[in-house]
Amino acid sequence: MLALRLARGTHPLVLTRRLLVAAAAAGVGFLLLCTLGYAVGHPDRSSVSVLRLLWCALPLAATVQFAVAVARTDPSTRPRPGLSAVGLGPARLTAIAAASTAVACTLGSTVALLFYLHLRGDITGLPFDGAAAELLAADQPIPLAGALTLLAVLPVVAATAAGLALRPRTAPAAPEGVEKAMPSGLPWGIALVAVGLAIETYAAQGDSGGGLPLPGGLDGNPAGVLAGWVLTAVGLAVAGPGLTYGCGRLLQAVRPGATRLLAGRVLMDESRRIGRPLGVVSAVISGALAAATLYDADADAFGPLTGLGAALILACTTATLLTAALESRQGRAHTTEALLRIGAPPTVLRTAALLRAGALFAVFAPLTWAVAELAALPLKG
């Protein structure tokens, strides 16, 4: 109840972000219900149903990442003076953030269930002249317990992830005069990308007769190719903070001025916060480019559910990156105010922001394109 009362008095932009989380949860819930409908309508294809359920894990993970990012930027979960005196300490605020995340995801799952039942004709008859009847197995009864279990996965996972991300922790202070280290994930990320591309190349050169029956018409890809693709995507996500830190170092190279020093220092300080979402977006875009390159000649390669899942992944990862950038801006608000108080012109801050965006684009755009080309090259024959 406290989480609902706090939601009533929040800023419209905060409510908009929560509604976006609910919309993403509705999309994931609809995909899970469609997978359940396929399993009910095709009891003899249990292995295909399991694969479809596993593919739903990708948009689910992207939605959980977005929900956690929204919870981190929620003003109602930020510790403020005086709240501990009324029983709202860090632990209680973390519980409120987890509850708010669960409420938003539950709302989306409820909308997904109602929309799914409406398309099946279980509420008011078959809409659209029964166009979705075969896709949703409208002639078969849906097990309610199974549907509710699938819909409960996202709220539980998202609330747990938000609670773990916002839990109170005490980090040891760095000694005076000692600079923060480089994120250590860059070598591991490069290694994962290289291993993933090698596995994909090796699997593509072998016999492709044992292709996995994937949803949406993407059949015929060996399991090794998909495993290599996943490793490559994970490598980009792991290498994201290190690459962002390197961009900050690059901006400060060769006799930098005040603007380049400011832009580079901000990138170095925020590399862990925005680097991981940036690496995830790079991985998603590279996968989309590779898939578009492989299946550009076949208009029927992507089914409606595959398109919905891909749109959810791209939208959630992009929204997570934008939310992380907003969190970064909120974190350095005091520094910005201090610079303005001592007479720094606003144009310097805007120029520094443009330099940061340009440096990140100059590094991640060619990397994303190169990984997409290398990932699609073995499958072009």
Side-chain angles (χ1 to χ4, degrees):
M1 290 300 297
L2 180 58
L4 292 176
R5 289 182 179 180
L6 290 175
R8 291 175 55 189
T10 53
H11 195 273
L13 290 179
V14 179
L15 290 178
T16 301
R17 291 198 294 266
R18 291 178 181 173
L19 289 177
L20 289 177
V21 172
V28 174
F30 184 76
L31 286 177
L32 290 172
L33 292 175
C34 289
T35 302
L36 178 63
Y38 182 87
V40 171
H42 303 82
D44 55 333
R45 302 180 183 177
S46 58
S47 60
V48 179
S49 301
V50 172
L51 283 174
R52 286 173 173 262
L53 184 61
L54 291 177
W55 272 98
C56 291
L58 295 178
L60 188 145
T63 303
V64 169
Q65 184 192 25
F66 178 43
V68 172
V70 170
R72 290 174 63 95
T73 58
D74 195 337
S76 63
T77 62
R78 198 170 301 142
R80 292 184 295 274
L83 289 181
S84 297
V86 296
L88 292 178
R92 187 71 179 274
L93 291 177
T94 300
I96 292 174
S100 301
T101 304
V103 168
C105 294
T106 302
L107 175 63
S109 298
T110 303
V111 172
L113 178 61
L114 294 177
F115 184 66
Y116 180 78
L117 294 177
H118 173 66
L119 290 182
R120 280 175 46 89
D122 296 334
I123 299 179
T124 58
L126 282 174
F128 308 115
D129 297 330
E134 183 179 358
L135 180 64
L136 304 181
D139 57 338
Q140 299 289 335
I142 292 294
L144 183 59
L148 294 180
T149 301
L150 286 177
L151 291 177
V153 171
L154 179 59
V156 172
V157 173
T160 303
L164 292 176
L166 298 176
R167 70 186 186 278
R169 59 171 69 90
T170 56
E176 186 177 355
V178 177
E179 187 179 353
K180 289 184 179 179
M182 282 195 65
S184 59
L186 183 57
W188 290 103
I190 294 175
L192 285 174
V193 171
V195 171
L197 292 175
I199 292 177
E200 182 182 353
T201 302
Y202 178 79
Q205 291 176 352
D207 184 16
S208 60
L212 294 177
L214 301 178
L218 303 178
D219 299 342
N221 293 320
V225 171
L226 300 176
W229 208 336
V230 170
L231 278 179
T232 302
V234 172
L236 286 174
V238 171
L243 291 173
T244 305
Y245 190 90
C247 290
R249 282 287 191 185
L250 185 62
L251 281 176
Q252 300 176 83
V254 191
R255 302 177 63 182
T259 305
R260 282 203 289 145
L261 277 175
L262 178 62
R265 178 59 63 177
V266 169
L267 277 184
M268 291 171 60
D269 291 342
E270 302 296 333
S271 59
R272 288 181 173 86
R273 183 173 295 172
I274 66 174
R276 187 63 55 82
L278 191 57
V280 172
V281 170
S282 177
V284 170
I285 293 178
S286 65
L289 290 176
T293 302
L294 292 174
Y295 299 100
D296 56 354
D298 188 1
D300 299 329
F302 303 99
L305 298 182
T306 306
L308 175 60
L312 279 175
I313 294 172
L314 184 59
C316 287
T317 51
T318 304
T320 302
L321 177 59
L322 296 177
T323 306
L326 176 62
E327 181 187 6
S328 175
R329 182 181 179 182
Q330 293 174 349
R332 63 175 185 273
H334 296 293
T335 304
T336 303
E337 293 175 0
L339 289 173
L340 293 175
R341 279 198 306 267
I342 64 176
T347 55
V348 171
L349 301 178
R350 290 194 291 267
T351 305
L354 291 177
L355 284 176
R356 292 195 300 269
L360 292 175
F361 182 82
V363 171
F364 279 91
L367 176 64
T368 302
W369 176 81
V371 171
E373 290 295 322
L374 291 175
L377 187 60
L379 300 178
K380 291 181 180 179

